Amino acid sequence: MSAPLAPGAVIGILGGGQLGRMLAMAAAQIGYRSHIYAPDGRAVAADVAETRTTAPFEDSQALGRFAAACDVLTYEFENIPSAPLKALGLADRIRPGIPALDISQSRIAEKAFFRDLGALAAPYHAVADEDALLAAASSMGPRGGILKTDRFGYDGKGQARIARPADAIAAWDSIGRRPAVMEGFVDFQAEFSVILVRGQDGEIGFWDSTHNIHEDGILRRSIWPAGDAIAAQVGAARQLARSAAEALDAIGVLTFEFFATPEGPLFNECAPRVHNSGHWTIEGAVTSQFENHIRAIAGLPLGDCATVGRRIEMSNLIGAQIEDSAAILADPAAHLHHYGKLDARPGRKMGHVTKLYF
Ligand code: AMP
């Protein structure tokens, strides 16, 4: 274990979106400065950070200068290429870690890793070419399947539903004929995630699991208490999440998404970072996912993950839903988080609102 970072130390965050923004705000609260590295000059995380680097993730010179200016490195987005980081010898300085990043970048690698840990999951087939696609489509059950790109998918992007085998070619065309996995469609009771933090001494804390409601592949709401179907499955899901965090020797926050089914929790995917389904923890937990991630990577003691309150609802504000702050805040239980994005395009996550009831 390394000594805790002193106040004034610099946290380097790869990625400049709202997750980086909320991490930088948590870092500032405990006296750290943040340096955001993002390819996009409008990166909203940099609005609340001390320093920004605008450069592609593949730019080794810029990455090297950034790393030299930071005391610890983390990422807020899992699609960061790991090869330049490894080539620069930065693997030991990045949290939660390069193994967690690599596993989560490929659905095929991720599924194999979690299967080896004993996870239950939807049946799947790797799809590398048209023959594999047609074979996978003809073996689908009556509920059909979902075709997902192996790499670079998020928020339902890079996915296509296949209701009948005859839809397979059109579905593959729609995701750019890239290497993919075909997953059986799961008739789940509800969706939930397990979010944990692992400290440098190996201590693990879990936040409560909310009921996560998605529409069009995008999270819309997280609700706690999550209901009986989820509550009955959280224990088994946590065991799997713990084994994964330990096998990856990850430090910081990791998120694991599950489908609650009558057969038990089916593992869906893992994000090696803070997560949208944990935004409620800013007001709804003793210590938020953002603060505990910063504490873990800085080598500080972890805070309590316990939930505060009787009922919590987090709703994403997507596209134009962000526009009327006064109407959103008319409910005294509401906390508005505006991500500072200027262009409220349809489907874009612009902010969220958390309501806490005691
Ligand atoms: P993902 O990007 O894999 O998390 O998928 C986004 C959302 O699509 C999930 O949260 C589910 O709501 C839905 N979904 C993904 N995979 C499946 C599946 N195999 N069966 C049913 N729904 C799914």
Side-chain angles (χ1 to χ4, degrees):
M1 255 182 72
S2 42
L5 291 184
V10 179
I11 313 271
I13 302 175
L14 290 151
Q18 62 268 19
L19 301 177
R21 180 178 171 100
M22 291 182 270
L23 284 169
M25 289 160 78
Q29 181 196 327
I30 34 184
Y32 298 127
R33 296 176 290 157
S34 293
H35 184 158
I36 304 298
Y37 187 111
D40 173 6
R42 267 294 317 136
V44 293
D47 294 347
V48 299
E50 185 195 44
T51 315
R52 81 167 73 196
T53 294
T54 304
F57 291 124
E58 296 79 7
D59 181 339
S60 295
Q61 284 195 347
L63 272 176
R65 281 195 299 273
F66 164 74
C70 298
D71 294 288
V72 65
L73 304 172
T74 189
Y75 44 81
E76 57 105 53
F77 163 66
E78 60 273 32
N79 287 328
I80 299 198
S82 63
L85 302 171
K86 290 177 198 161
L88 285 167
L90 298 176
D92 288 345
R93 295 182 51 205
I94 298 188
R95 312 288 192 207
I98 295 285
L101 192 61
D102 282 339
I103 286 292
S104 66
Q105 284 183 356
S106 157
R107 290 188 187 272
I108 294 172
E110 184 179 81
K111 284 175 185 298
F113 175 79
F114 281 89
R115 185 198 51 216
D116 291 349
L117 289 175
L120 297 174
Y124 74 95
H125 298 275
V127 170
D129 54 29
E130 203 167 303
D131 287 347
L133 172 74
L134 296 175
S138 64
S139 70
M140 290 186 320
R143 298 273 300 156
I146 301 191
L147 193 64
K148 302 180 178 179
T149 53
D150 179 39
R151 304 178 79 87
F152 303 124
Y154 70 98
D155 280 351
K157 296 189 174 61
Q159 296 193 8
R161 178 87 166 89
I162 302 186
R164 302 163 300 139
D167 300 341
I169 297 282
W172 201 32
D173 284 341
S174 78
I175 61 164
R177 294 196 155 238
R178 287 186 284 158
V181 284
M182 166 86 91
E183 261 179 45
F185 192 80
V186 179
D187 203 4
F188 53 76
Q189 297 159 294
E191 289 186 74
F192 68 101
S193 43
V194 168
I195 309 181
L196 64 75
V197 59
R198 183 164 182 267
Q200 293 192 5
D201 59 357
E203 177 195 350
I204 288 183
F206 293 98
W207 282 274
D208 277 327
S209 289
T210 54
H211 176 195
N212 298 334
I213 299 164
H214 293 79
E215 285 166 27
D216 302 325
I218 301 185
L219 181 69
R220 297 285 160 158
R221 294 199 299 152
S222 296
I223 296 170
W224 188 85
D228 294 343
I230 290 173
Q233 307 206 355
V234 166
R238 282 185 179 181
Q239 248 177 36
L240 178 74
R242 175 187 288 277
S243 337
E246 288 172 350
L248 295 166
D249 197 16
I251 307 295
V253 170
L254 302 179
T255 304
F256 304 82
E257 293 185 73
F258 292 91
F259 302 124
T261 74
E263 291 74 48
L266 296 199
F267 171 74
N268 176 27
E269 64 177 358
C270 159
R273 53 166 169 78
V274 288
H275 195 260
N276 194 169
S277 62
H279 288 1
W280 64 272
T281 63
I282 296 176
E283 294 86 9
V286 176
T287 315
S288 77
Q289 60 169 350
F290 301 102
E291 180 176 343
N292 257 348
H293 182 70
I294 298 294
R295 291 197 199 196
I297 68 174
L300 290 169
L302 301 181
D304 188 350
C305 299
T307 304
V308 177
R310 184 177 50 83
R311 180 176 165 80
I312 298 168
E313 287 175 25
M314 188 291 304
S315 304
N316 273 337
L317 299 169
I318 296 184
Q321 288 177 330
I322 194 74
E323 276 162 15
D324 198 346
S325 303
I328 294 165
L329 291 174
D331 182 342
H335 295 269
L336 172 64
H337 296 257
H338 193 301
Y339 301 153
K341 299 177 186 175
L342 299 180
D343 182 12
R345 290 193 296 274
R348 192 172 191 209
K349 289 178 179 170
M350 299 298 295
H352 72 266
V353 56
T354 301
K355 296 185 179 183
L356 229 63
Y357 302 97
F358 290 93

